[in-house]
Amino acid sequence: MPRSERSALLLVGLLATAGVGHFASPRQFDATIPRALPGAPRTWTYASGVAELALAAGVAVPRTRRVAALATAAFFVGVFPANVQMAVDWRRRPAPQKVAAIARLPLQVPLVLWARSVAKGGKGQS
């Protein structure tokens, strides 16, 4: 299997796992929803889960992969405020949790770049 195909399927797995997680354990995701957003956090949690599942489906199909992977990159940028909210909310938690919440912030960059690489069909991968 070509590396670009493996990369796309791994991205599908990440998105699908996260999407299912939003429904299997919504409370942990509710806590990361920025309070400035209108409506109930659970609504945003479920909407995010649906979005991740839809993106996974789109990336899984070669014909829709490019558009879905670009949408995935935009999605990763869009959920960054939730990761910031989590880091702010967890600043008084035990050190390992606080470090994990802060460490997630720069991880958005490689996720965005990964999705863009999948959109390009793996071009530029080494």
Side-chain angles (χ1 to χ4, degrees):
M1 177 182 303
R3 185 174 188 178
S4 61
E5 183 70 16
R6 276 194 314 265
S7 183
L9 293 177
L10 287 170
L11 183 58
V12 167
L14 173 76
L15 289 164
T17 300
V20 168
H22 281 72
F23 294 96
S25 185
R27 193 178 331 165
Q28 73 180 15
F29 294 97
D30 291 348
T32 69
I33 303 300
R35 289 179 284 282
L37 290 175
R42 183 63 50 93
T43 302
W44 288 99
T45 294
Y46 287 155
S48 180
V50 167
E52 286 173 318
L53 292 171
L55 291 168
V59 172
V61 177
R63 192 167 46 109
T64 58
R65 181 169 295 152
R66 182 180 181 284
V67 170
L70 289 173
T72 298
F75 178 81
F76 287 149
V77 170
V79 298
F80 185 73
N83 292 340
V84 171
Q85 184 68 54
M86 182 179 178
V88 169
D89 290 344
W90 285 26
R91 67 186 180 276
R92 290 184 179 80
R93 293 227 178 162
Q97 291 177 333
K98 184 170 38 175
V99 168
I102 293 169
R104 285 183 65 175
L105 298 177
L107 290 177
Q108 289 302 111
V109 173
L111 288 173
V112 170
L113 295 175
W114 180 18
R116 288 184 60 207
S117 174
V118 168
K120 293 177 184 176
K123 293 178 188 143
Q125 288 182 346
S126 53

